[in-house]
Amino acid sequence: MDAETTWMMLAAGLAMTVIGAIGGVLRDRAPLAWHAHLPWNGLAFGGVGCALVAAAHLFTLLRAG
């Protein structure tokens, strides 16, 4: 992957994390609404994982060149 793809992956991971956190808060406010049944914790977990992989890859890209 090049640096541009890694930056996009980092941005996508952070966006997924924020959306997952907001969805979790909304689930607590309205537990019987349609959005309460979506897997917000899984989305946040996937976003954190994506952001960590992208950050580690970006660190190695910046260190190498």
Side-chain angles (χ1 to χ4, degrees), residues 19-62:
I19 291 170
I22 291 171
V25 170
L26 291 176
R27 177 181 38 211
D28 291 340
R29 286 189 176 185
L32 296 178
W34 66 270
H35 56 77
H37 303 291
L38 298 175
W40 297 112
N41 292 335
L43 182 68
F45 182 76
V48 168
C50 184
L52 285 174
V53 167
H57 189 263
L58 189 63
F59 178 71
T60 58
L61 281 176
L62 292 175

